[in-house]
Amino acid sequence: FINMGTFFPTRVEYNDYMRWSADQFKEHVHYGQEVIAIEPVEQGGEVEWVRVRSRNADGSEQEIFTRNLVIGIGGYPKIPAVFAGKMGENMVHSSRYKHEYERFARHETPRIAVIGAGQSAAEIYLDLMDQYPDGKMDLVSRSRALHPADDSAFVNEIFDPAFTDTIYARPESERQDFLKRFSQTNYAVVDLAEIEQIYERLYLQKVTGKMQHRFLSNRDIVGVQNDGTRVLLTLRNKDTGVEQTEVYDGVVLATGYNRNGHEQLLSPMADWMSEKDVERCYRLPMASGCHANVFLQGCCEETHGLSDTLLSILAVRSQEVVDALIERQSRPLE
Ligand SMILES: Cc1cc2nc3c(=O)[nH]c(=O)nc-3n(C[C@H](O)[C@H](O)[C@H](O)COP(=O)(O)OP(=O)(O)OC[C@H]3O[C@@H](n4cnc5c(N)ncnc54)[C@H](O)[C@@H]3O)c2cc1C
């Protein structure tokens, strides 16, 4: 690995590492259970416990009671409005790509559109070109170009653990401004290596005259028709307004994630939650009389900054939650 001269482990190696990590504590994990609600357990007008309701793979439900809960459920697919109700077997969100790309194999030379301009879109676009060498792949994007991810040294300091204090202390408007100014570290950007690979492949098409794949940039998707076999996308050029309709056997939506799934799960707790921002230690502020602790992980970007959805300071964040728990346990109840 050292001889490769890179800081980037391959996805394959990283996947191995994650599997190894997960194996270390598998006896503590209940796989195949979907949490469907988090409810207050009220006794004498106070809440000491929450009830976590979950559904097993066979549809049966179960409950766990706890005083302390950490919610770290990641993101769920963001599907643009124009695709709502149009999803089918021939469309997949990037989060399921690895499990489902073989579906496209029922066509000998599949025509596939990848929607997006971020890292997932770029990696999937390249992977599809390799998986289906005779297929036709289009990368469709609103933006005019693929922009490089900024991981330069000074910018990268926003991912230092200490930066969380800095950002948390700022007023909301400043935090929003910060998220916008530094979004090119993580959102709608691509590592330079993949940008160069894509550019080279498209350039070589020009040299050889074999025009197989396209980058349809600066296009809004204004219409989607899906008859279950073919998908018709109507694309509008953002400069000229000219529309074109393209036909695909499959579409991959690399359109990102929403990170507010906890709101739905916590809706039964609404009466016991305060409106205030999540605390620095990631605890949700509760109304008086609620002594149960609920911590959020991975969905506090607006208050804790851009490292929040990432792995960069995960160990430090976990320690902060543990410290907060110990501190609260050793304090008399309010
Ligand atoms: C393509 C891609 C590349 C990335 N690369 C990087 C990178 O290089 N560096 C980096 O720091 N970050 C990267 N990220 C971000 C990465 O997703 C996070 O850093 C990391 O996965 C966050 O871990 P997490 O445990 O918070 O969430 P997740 O890994 O998303 O895990 C959440 C888990 O909760 C489960 N879950 C959700 N809802 C429920 C429910 N109701 N009941 C039960 N379980 C539920 C989900 O199934 C999932 O297993 C990348 C993300 C993507 C998509």
Side-chain angles (χ1 to χ4, degrees), residues 11 33-36 72-75 120 257 259 265 297-298 309-312:
R11 292 258 181 248
Q33 269 188 45
E34 186 194 357
V35 172
I36 48 177
I73 55 175
S120 295
Y257 295 84
R259 291 189 169 268
L265 295 180
Q297 285 286 281
T309 64
L310 301 176
L311 299 167
S312 11

